[in-house]
């Protein structure tokens, strides 16, 4: 069927009559002019893809009527222009594609139907670790070890780039996916197949939202959902509310973009924006560079929104020019966005659209701050850090407490390092990492860190040698301008030399601490600290031995490293005393905004971006030399401990099996609030006493070859054993943290995997109980795949983070939600009951179901299948099963 909106198709440039676009302004509909700019992107995609099959005119009308329908739970389809992936989530996606080809072939279909139909870019950035630091050859050694550990994964990805069309791999050593997306991959406006249209993207990483800072609508989805998008399936989404975030005023000259984003994060967590879009407007937005906006958009998952959108304006266009985009592209981007009413002038209030709700921030009220010690939205003013940490020491165990006995607050432990004697106490900094796309994408904070380092060295300051310092830029451009501006040598002298191009410490790839440091922390049961310029600081994420972790701007990371502790009041206490006996305060070496801007103007130039990105896909010689098969079907190696055909599609038939009630399920784990995907499926090191370690040992591996859980996501046998393996897991069945649970029939305390295996051998279904914000954090699909393999049929929680709920749906696990006012406590649930979940024959979105207990009690909960499409996936046993059946019929 032809598109019913062909009458609004026009030529953008008379010089290019074969390049057209859907001119939404020709709808001549006043409703369009009042839509938030982010919703206009959804509308354009619906109009352009309208075929009355997957996208209907009724969907277009629903979007145009956004002001009325936003709170009605109206479901609309959205087909993003492209998909981005990183290797931790990309490897399992390619594994799934390879297994789906096998499954389609078994069902009599054409395996090559399993193929991306839209551009899919995969950036390898999650594999490198900080094994070496503070040495001139640290970068080379870390990269060598990365290839040694991950050669098999890399060969598999190289096979994928050959076997699948539209899949591009950006090799290791290139940078962090979101920064590479911002500086290079983002189109802003597509020119493809004879049409111009807005760039939009979904990614298998929750911080995909960073690209919203450039005016490209994007957000993170589960790997399972991203695979369906790559195969041509639109995302089915509930039309979101849009919170207007009005920015006014100017920031103080000492304020960094990190301070602003941590302030925004706490504010929006308090407002409550889960499942909503946030769109920024107001005169203050013009005070923010694209790097500032991208920093704010990057931490969107930490404040819970789906997207954090900054429409394109003249500053966006200047950034595209600065990053080396071609003049011809700049011309049609500007021309197209103005033609369709998507180009923003933040000073023009007549352009302000309608919003669900408006909240406001005066940039002049922002103060220097950090966030921690265990959550990104627990903002602490730098002036309050000492007091706040000391309060946390004695407070009850929780997000803001470590429950250290009062007589132990002043404890110190002496130790030897490289022949010198040092001491640690509560609050001692042992990791200081300038890391993460959140901040390393921003020249102002990176040059600010460099200038602070320069002044620190000139003042005679240093960083204690046992502190694990590191710098892991998000792209090669960062190193380029740090060297050209002359500050790299000072960073190196303080210990912040480049150790790799990737996520590193931010995702827990922080590498080992010195043994003597670990022994001192353990001996004194000390609350040691990591300070990082990252976006997450959940328990157990950064390093097993840093119980407190603070997010901070790159200059503050260096400041706390020099101080050696967070128990310092920078206003009243000196950072250190230099060799001449002079007290040096932070204010003595802190660079002003004017100093930073002058250096940025001189040294962050388009030629750098062009030079770095011209060779990005071919610069890694080790990647170029990798050999990979060219077969369309992958030949699985039964000896591999990295790549294994998953069991998800074993026994899959063309015929649907009707869903059955879950009868007499045991509770495997009983949780409280804020269980993260890091708790459910950790990405970091594999503990030597864990079920995954025992499995790898049985396959002939030594502990030094275990690598990380994140690197093993192509092997379901490892990942099932790594599910709920986080050492900071807090299970109500036990009175201490650890990856263990009670096997209820025997009352034995076992590793979670071992308990689940016992239940499965007995043929018993399993359930998880949880509180609020279940599944917050990273968009990792293994946080749903792992529970599926453990035999978990449903999760019963007070609320879910958006991406994780979607992943549970994608794997056929039922996300159940307590009815308003109900909790496990109010219902008297202990988790020791057996649960029967009665599933009716006819299901509708958000059906309320009966839950019966073996105690005779019963209550109701809501099934969080929010759309008809999600119910379709559930009937198929998950989204991938649905896609296999669909592709087998082609």
């Amino acid at each position: 069927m032809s598109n019913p909106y062909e009458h609004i198709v026009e030529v953008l440039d008379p010089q290019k009559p074969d390049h057209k676009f859907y001119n939404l302004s020709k709808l001549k509909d006043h409703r369009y002019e009042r839509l938030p700019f982010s919703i206009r992107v959804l509308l354009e995609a619906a109009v352009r893809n309208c075929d009355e099959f997957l996208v209907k005119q009724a969907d277009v009308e629903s979007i145009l009527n956004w002001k009325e329908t936003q709170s009605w739970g109206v479901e609309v389809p959205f087909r993003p222009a492209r998909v981005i992936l990183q290797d931790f989530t990309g490897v399992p996606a390619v594994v799934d594609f390879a297994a789906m080809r096998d499954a389609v072939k078994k069902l009599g279909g054409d395996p090559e139907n399993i193929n991306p139909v839209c551009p899919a870019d995969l950036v390898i950035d999650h594999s490198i670790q900080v094994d070496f630091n503070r040495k001139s050859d640290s970068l080379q050694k870390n990269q060598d070890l990365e290839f040694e550990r991950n050669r098999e994964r890399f060969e598999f990805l190289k096979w994928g780039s050959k076997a699948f069309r539209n899949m591009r791999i950006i090799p290791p050593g290139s940078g962090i996916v979101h920064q590479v997306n911002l500086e290079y991959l983002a189109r802003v406006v597509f020119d493809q197949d004879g049409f111009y249209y807005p760039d939009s993207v979904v990614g298998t990483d929750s911080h995909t939202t960073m690209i919203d800072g450039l005016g490209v609508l994007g957000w993170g989805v589960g790997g399972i959902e991203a695979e369906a998008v790559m195969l041509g399936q639109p995302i089915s989404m509930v039309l979101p509310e849009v919170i207007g975030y009005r920015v006014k005023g100017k920031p103080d000259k000492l304020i960094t973009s990190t301070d602003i984003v941590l302030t925004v994060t706490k504010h929006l967590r308090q407002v409550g924006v889960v499942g909503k879009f946030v769109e920024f407007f107001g005169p203050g937005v013009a005070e923010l560079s694209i790097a500032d906006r991208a920093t704010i958009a990057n931490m969107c998952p930490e404040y819970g929104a789906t997207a954090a959108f900054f429409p394109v304006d003249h500053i966006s266009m200047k950034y595209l020019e600065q990053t080396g985009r071609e003049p011809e592209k700049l011309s049609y981007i500007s021309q197209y966005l103005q033609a369709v009413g998507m180009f923003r002038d933040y000073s023009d209030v007549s352009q302000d659209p309608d919003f669900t709700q408006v909240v406001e921030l005066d940039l002049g009220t922002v103060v220097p701050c950090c966030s921690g010690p265990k959550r990104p939205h627990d903002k602490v003013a730098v002036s309050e850090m000492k007091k706040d940490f000391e309060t946390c020491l004695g407070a009850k165990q929780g997000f803001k407490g470590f429950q250290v006995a009062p007589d132990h607050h002043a404890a110190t432990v002496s130790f030897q390092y490289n022949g010198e004697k040092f001491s640690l106490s509560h609050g001692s900094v042992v990791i200081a990492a300038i890391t993460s796309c959140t901040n390393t994408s921003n020249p102002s904070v990176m040059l600010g860190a460099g200038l602070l380092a320069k002044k620190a060295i000139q003042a005679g300051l240093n960083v204690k040698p046992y502190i694990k310092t590191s710098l892991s830029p998000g792209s090669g451009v960062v190193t380029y301008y740090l060297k050209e501006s002359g500050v790299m040598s000072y960073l190196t002298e303080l210990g912040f030399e480049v150790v790799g191009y990737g996520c590193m410490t931010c995702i827990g790839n922080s590498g080992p601490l010195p043994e003597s440091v670990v022994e001192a922390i353990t001996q004194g049961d000390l609350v040691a600290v990591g300070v990082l310029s990252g976006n997450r600081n959940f328990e157990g994420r950064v390093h097993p031995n840093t119980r407190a972790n603070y997010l901070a701007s790159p200059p503050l990371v260096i400041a706390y490293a020099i101080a050696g502790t967070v128990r310092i009041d920078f206003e009243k206490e000196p950072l250190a005393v230099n060799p001449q006996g002079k007290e040096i305060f932070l204010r003595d070496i802190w660079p002003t905004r004017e100093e930073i801007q002058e250096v940025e103007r001189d040294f962050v130039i388009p030629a750098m971006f062009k030079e770095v990105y011209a060779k990005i896909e071919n610069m890694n010689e080790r990647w170029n030399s990798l050999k990979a098969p060219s077969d369309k079907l992958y030949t699985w190696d039964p000896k591999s401990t990295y790549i294994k055909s998953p069991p998800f599609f074993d026994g899959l038939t063309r015929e649907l099996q009707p869903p059955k009630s879950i009868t007499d399920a045991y509770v495997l784990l009983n949780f409280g609030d804020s269980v993260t995907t890091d708790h459910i499926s950790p990405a970091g090191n594999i503990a030597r006493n864990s079920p995954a370690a025992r499995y790898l040992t049985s396959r002939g591996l030594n502990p030094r070859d275990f690598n990380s859980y994140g690197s093993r996501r192509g092997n379901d046998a490892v990942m099932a054993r790594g599910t709920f393996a986080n050492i900071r897991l807090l299970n109500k069945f036990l009175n201490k943290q650890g990856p263990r649970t009670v096997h209820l029939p025997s009352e034995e305390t076992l590793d979670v995997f071992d308990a689940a295996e016992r239940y499965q051998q007995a043929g018993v279904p399993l359930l998880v109980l949880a509180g609020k914000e279940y599944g917050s954090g990273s968009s990792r699909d293994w946080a749903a795949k792992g529970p599926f393999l453990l035999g978990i049929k449903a999760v019963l929680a007070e609320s879910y983070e958006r991406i994780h709920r979607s992943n549970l749906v994608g794997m056929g696990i039922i996300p159940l939600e307590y009815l308003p006012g109900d909790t496990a406590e109010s219902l008297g649930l202990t988790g020791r009951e057996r649960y029967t979940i009665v599933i009716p024959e006819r299901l509708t979105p958000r059906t309320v179901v009966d839950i019966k207990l073996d105690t005779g009690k019963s209550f109701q909960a809501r099934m969080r299948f929010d759309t008809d499409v999600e119910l379709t996936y559930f009937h198929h046993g998950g989204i991938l099963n649905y896609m296999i059946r669909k592709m087998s019929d082609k």
Side-chain angles (χ1 to χ4, degrees):
M1 175 177 174
S2 62
N3 190 311
Y5 294 97
E6 285 182 356
H7 64 282
I8 64 168
V9 172
E10 290 190 349
V11 172
L12 183 67
D13 182 350
Q15 303 297 316
K16 296 181 178 179
D18 55 342
H19 285 56
K20 301 177 181 179
F21 73 108
Y22 283 85
N23 191 348
L24 300 184
S25 64
K26 292 292 182 181
L27 289 171
K28 295 182 177 177
D29 194 320
H30 68 280
R31 293 174 297 175
Y32 177 67
E33 296 170 5
R34 304 308 307 155
L35 289 178
F37 282 63
S38 50
I39 300 298
R40 296 180 198 188
V41 179
L42 299 183
L43 178 69
E44 193 283 337
V47 166
R48 179 167 35 87
N49 291 297
C50 190
D51 58 5
E52 290 300 329
F53 176 58
L54 290 174
V55 184
K56 300 176 173 60
Q57 278 187 280
D59 299 318
V60 173
E61 279 297 307
S62 292
I63 300 173
L64 276 169
N65 283 322
W66 170 84
K67 190 173 183 181
E68 288 71 37
T69 58
Q70 57 175 302
S71 59
W72 295 358
V74 173
E75 173 190 355
V76 294
F78 175 55
R79 186 170 272 156
R82 59 191 176 97
V83 174
I84 60 167
L85 312 97
Q86 35 86 343
D87 55 303
F88 269 19
T89 52
V91 167
V94 179
V95 166
D96 285 347
F97 272 18
M100 289 169 79
R101 279 192 169 178
D102 291 343
V104 167
K105 185 179 180 183
K106 285 178 185 175
L107 293 181
D110 181 357
E112 290 198 49
N113 285 340
I114 301 295
N115 197 85
V117 297
C118 66
D121 297 310
L122 191 157
V123 180
I124 299 175
D125 64 2
H126 272 51
S127 299
I128 192 166
Q129 301 186 34
V130 192
D131 290 288
F132 300 94
N133 70 311
R134 289 203 176 208
K135 293 182 175 65
S136 59
D137 60 352
S138 294
L139 172 61
Q140 188 59 52
K141 282 187 170 181
N142 286 329
Q143 289 180 333
D144 289 345
L145 197 49
E146 176 189 23
F147 256 85
E148 182 184 322
R149 286 173 173 147
N150 296 284
R151 172 176 290 274
E152 189 179 340
R153 296 172 66 242
F154 293 169
E155 287 173 343
F156 176 69
L157 287 176
K158 199 155 192 183
W159 167 80
S161 68
K162 292 180 178 180
F164 299 104
R165 297 184 303 278
N166 288 324
M167 182 171 283
R168 170 170 51 176
I169 308 290
I170 304 296
S174 303
I176 302 174
V177 57
H178 309 304
Q179 189 162 339
V180 174
N181 190 22
L182 189 73
E183 296 175 352
Y184 175 62
L185 297 174
R187 282 73 156 178
V188 184
V189 171
F190 263 85
D191 175 10
Q192 189 161 309
D193 301 327
F195 275 88
Y196 295 111
Y197 52 92
D199 188 4
S200 58
V201 61
V202 292
T204 56
D205 188 287
S206 53
H207 293 105
T208 299
T209 52
M210 184 170 183
I211 202 62
D212 289 316
L214 187 56
V216 175
L217 185 63
W219 63 84
V221 296
I224 305 156
E225 195 170 10
E227 291 166 33
V229 171
M230 284 190 273
L231 294 174
Q233 187 75 3
I235 288 175
S236 178
M237 61 184 295
V238 173
L239 201 59
E241 297 182 9
V242 181
I243 305 301
Y245 199 89
R246 187 173 187 273
V247 183
K248 67 178 185 178
K250 293 185 178 183
D252 182 84
K253 63 181 181 180
L254 300 180
I255 295 302
T256 68
S257 59
T258 315
D259 302 320
I260 295 171
V261 72
L262 296 179
T263 302
V264 170
T265 298
K266 180 173 184 179
H267 184 199
L268 285 175
R269 267 288 172 187
Q270 292 170 334
V271 170
V273 293
V274 173
K276 302 173 185 178
F277 284 5
V278 175
E279 186 167 307
F280 293 82
F281 74 109
V285 176
E287 297 294 322
L288 303 173
S289 68
I290 293 304
D292 293 337
R293 299 176 194 183
T295 300
I296 294 168
N298 177 284
M299 286 193 68
C300 177
E302 280 64 57
Y303 42 86
T306 299
F309 194 63
F310 289 84
V312 173
D313 69 343
H314 72 284
I315 294 175
S316 316
M317 299 306 299
K318 284 182 180 177
Y319 177 83
L320 292 172
E321 183 180 0
Q322 181 190 40
T323 49
R325 266 69 168 205
E326 297 300 323
E328 182 187 356
K329 289 184 179 178
L330 298 180
S331 175
Y332 72 67
I333 289 171
S334 177
Q335 198 176 348
Y336 169 79
L337 292 174
Q338 293 193 48
V340 295
M342 294 189 195
F343 196 90
R344 190 73 164 92
D345 178 353
Y346 287 101
S347 64
D348 183 356
V349 294
S350 70
Q351 285 190 10
D352 292 352
D354 292 329
F355 293 113
T356 307
Q357 175 188 356
V358 172
V359 293
E360 188 172 271
L361 174 69
D362 183 344
L363 293 174
T365 65
V366 176
V367 298
C369 57
C370 301
S371 278
K374 302 180 186 182
R375 293 191 301 186
H377 52 280
D378 288 332
K379 178 177 75 96
V380 186
V382 170
S383 59
E384 298 291 321
M385 272 286 284
K386 180 178 181 179
K387 179 182 175 183
D388 188 81
F389 179 82
E390 290 176 347
T391 301
C392 289
L393 267 185
K396 183 181 177 182
Q397 182 71 38
F399 297 123
K400 295 288 286 185
F402 297 101
Q403 208 161 334
V404 174
D407 60 356
H408 192 53
H409 286 197
T412 61
V413 179
S414 298
F415 67 100
Q416 294 276 330
Y417 181 75
N418 286 349
E420 290 187 69
K421 188 175 181 181
F422 299 96
S423 66
L424 292 180
S425 58
H426 295 297
S428 289
V429 174
V430 295
I431 290 176
I434 299 175
T435 179
S436 168
C437 53
T438 309
N439 284 289
T440 70
S441 60
N442 194 326
S444 66
V445 292
M446 295 304 291
L447 289 168
L451 291 170
L452 185 140
K454 179 180 179 179
K455 293 184 178 188
I457 293 296
Q458 291 172 341
L461 306 184
N462 59 33
V463 175
K464 293 180 178 65
Y466 63 82
I467 296 176
K468 187 158 193 180
T469 50
S470 61
L471 167 58
S472 49
S475 80
V477 175
V478 179
T479 308
Y480 203 149
Y481 65 65
L482 290 176
K483 285 182 177 178
E484 290 295 310
S485 61
V487 298
M488 190 73 241
S489 59
Y490 297 103
L491 286 163
T492 299
E493 196 171 340
L494 279 182
F496 291 91
E497 76 281 279
V498 174
V499 295
Y501 296 93
C503 303
M504 303 190 91
T505 301
C506 185
I507 60 165
N509 285 359
S510 49
L513 289 173
E515 284 188 20
S516 58
V517 171
V518 173
E519 288 170 4
I521 293 170
T522 306
Q523 179 187 334
D525 194 22
L526 298 176
V527 180
V529 176
V531 183
L532 65 153
S533 63
N535 46 45
R536 291 204 173 125
N537 54 348
F538 300 130
E539 282 186 287
R541 178 183 175 94
V542 175
H543 193 281
N545 296 111
T546 56
R547 287 161 65 187
N549 296 282
Y550 288 93
L551 308 182
S553 67
L556 278 176
V557 170
I558 295 176
Y560 281 112
I562 293 170
T565 180
V566 295
R567 297 171 84 170
I568 180 172
D569 183 338
F570 287 133
E571 287 296 314
K572 300 174 183 175
E573 301 173 62
L575 271 177
V577 177
N578 72 7
Q580 289 73 43
K582 182 182 178 183
E583 291 185 339
I584 306 296
F585 286 80
L586 180 57
R587 57 180 172 268
D588 299 328
I589 61 171
W590 192 268
T592 66
R593 183 179 286 264
E594 289 76 17
E595 287 179 87
I596 295 167
Q597 288 174 343
E598 183 180 350
V599 176
E600 186 175 349
R601 277 193 300 270
D602 292 342
F603 294 102
V604 184
I605 56 177
M608 289 181 177
F609 292 88
K610 287 182 178 179
E611 183 178 335
V612 168
Y613 284 111
K615 54 190 178 184
I616 190 169
E617 294 178 46
N618 303 304
M619 65 185 289
N620 192 316
E621 292 301 325
R622 297 190 69 167
W623 173 264
N624 295 341
S625 65
L626 284 178
K627 305 296 182 197
S630 56
D631 302 337
K632 296 300 182 183
L633 293 175
Y634 187 70
T635 304
W636 307 96
D637 178 1
K639 296 178 182 177
S640 174
T641 56
Y642 276 108
I643 307 298
K644 178 177 175 289
S645 181
F648 305 134
F649 316 122
D650 292 353
L652 183 67
T653 62
R654 284 180 177 270
E655 297 74 32
L656 291 185
Q657 305 298 319
K660 299 176 181 176
S661 294
I662 299 169
T663 306
D664 285 335
Y666 276 106
V667 173
L668 179 64
L669 294 148
N670 187 3
F671 294 129
D673 296 340
S674 297
V675 171
T676 71
T677 52
D678 280 296
H679 289 119
I680 303 168
S681 184
N685 293 333
I686 298 172
R688 297 187 181 192
N689 61 347
S690 65
R694 292 195 291 273
Y695 169 79
L696 291 170
T697 301
S698 74
R699 300 297 298 267
L701 272 69
N702 295 314
R704 71 180 186 87
D705 297 319
F706 286 172
N707 211 334
S708 64
Y709 283 114
S711 69
R712 298 274 177 188
R713 287 182 183 163
N715 187 311
D716 62 272
V718 175
M719 296 309 296
R721 288 165 172 81
T723 303
F724 299 110
N726 190 307
I727 60 170
R728 302 296 181 198
L729 195 73
L730 190 58
N731 175 10
K732 291 182 182 179
F733 287 152
L734 305 172
N735 57 9
K736 62 179 181 179
Q737 292 181 325
R740 293 168 71 75
T741 194
V742 175
H743 178 252
L744 296 173
S746 66
E747 289 295 330
E748 287 183 69
T749 299
L750 303 170
D751 287 323
V752 174
F753 174 81
D754 295 337
E757 193 172 44
R758 285 234 198 135
Y759 284 121
Q760 284 188 305
Q761 288 168 353
V764 178
L766 295 173
L767 181 71
V768 167
L769 297 184
K772 299 180 183 70
E773 298 175 352
Y774 183 73
S776 56
S778 301
S779 63
R780 57 191 60 160
D781 53 349
W782 269 107
K785 288 177 175 175
F788 172 85
L789 292 177
L790 295 187
I792 292 168
K793 303 299 182 185
V795 177
L796 175 58
E798 291 177 49
S799 66
Y800 295 87
E801 287 287 303
R802 176 186 60 84
I803 298 174
H804 185 62
R805 186 199 64 81
S806 173
N807 275 336
L808 292 175
V809 172
M811 287 307 299
I813 296 175
I814 303 173
L816 294 166
E817 193 168 273
Y818 291 103
L819 296 182
D822 284 352
T823 64
E825 287 71 24
S826 71
L827 294 170
L829 306 179
T830 66
R832 291 180 170 274
E833 308 88 353
R834 297 189 72 170
Y835 292 70
T836 293
I837 300 157
V838 181
I839 298 176
E841 286 186 20
R842 287 179 56 80
L843 290 173
T844 56
R846 300 176 68 85
T847 295
V848 172
V849 297
D850 293 319
I851 300 177
K852 300 177 180 179
L853 309 181
D854 62 343
T855 60
K857 181 184 289 187
S858 65
F859 61 98
Q860 291 184 314
R862 189 178 303 282
M863 295 176 77
R864 284 294 311 277
F865 298 121
D866 289 354
T867 66
D868 287 322
V869 172
E870 289 185 346
L871 280 174
T872 299
Y873 297 155
F874 175 60
H875 284 295
H876 279 264
I879 193 170
L880 300 185
N881 291 355
Y882 168 79
M883 293 307 300
I884 288 171
R885 290 187 174 107
K886 181 179 176 181
M887 293 299 175
S888 299
D889 290 335
K890 280 193 174 183

